Amino acid sequence: MKEYKYKINGNNYTVAVGDIDENVAQVEVNGVPYKVELDRAKPTTVKVQTPRPSAAPRTATGEKVIASKPAAAGAGSVVAPLPGVVISVNVKVGDTVSAADTVVVLEAMKMENSIRAGRDGKVTAINVNAGDSVLEGTALITLE
């Protein structure tokens, strides 16, 4: 038994708490035994609210943000090797590039990837802008 000493309204009480069986406790106050019925705690239920998924982002004109994969990229196209976000376009229309030149920087999986021209040529078209999301196989630059 655990024993406690209380002073209530100037009166001293010695309370001993014995066994508790289900919701009935054996209590002794100043040597007088009592059976004390305890309130049963109501089980608490936790309601978890999951957030609803939001709609895919769209541009001001209502088009999807991610550019669609082209039907067939031309022979002179520099294509995205993996899906990602265009960080920068390092060339402009009319520039002459060599095969080893970095023409676009693409961020994919939190890493910046330098996309090289792959062959010598002249830039005839730039199909993406910085900040665009692209899929694998999307034509980024067209070379002549």
Side-chain angles (χ1 to χ4, degrees), residues 11-128:
N11 297 323
N12 291 324
Y13 296 94
T14 303
V15 179
V17 179
D19 294 331
I20 300 173
D21 186 25
E22 290 196 21
N23 66 329
V24 177
Q26 301 295 329
V27 178
E28 190 174 291
V29 179
N30 289 342
V32 180
Y34 294 96
K35 287 188 180 182
V36 178
E37 188 174 335
L38 306 171
D39 283 342
R40 290 188 186 261
K42 294 181 182 178
T44 58
T45 56
V46 177
K47 188 181 257 189
V48 178
Q49 291 187 351
T50 55
R52 301 188 108 174
S54 60
R58 296 194 177 261
T59 61
T61 60
E63 296 174 14
K64 292 181 180 178
V65 172
I66 297 178
S68 61
K69 194 172 186 177
S77 295
V78 177
V79 296
L82 66 167
V85 177
V86 176
I87 298 297
S88 67
V89 179
N90 299 341
V91 293
K92 51 188 183 279
V93 175
D95 286 355
T96 302
V97 295
S98 64
D101 288 346
T102 299
V103 291
V104 174
V105 178
L106 185 71
E107 180 183 354
M109 297 182 285
K110 296 188 179 183
M111 294 190 63
E112 289 187 5
N113 301 282
S114 297
I115 310 301
R116 305 199 188 288
R119 69 179 188 91
D120 295 344
K122 183 177 177 182
V123 177
T124 57
I126 299 174
N127 304 322
V128 293

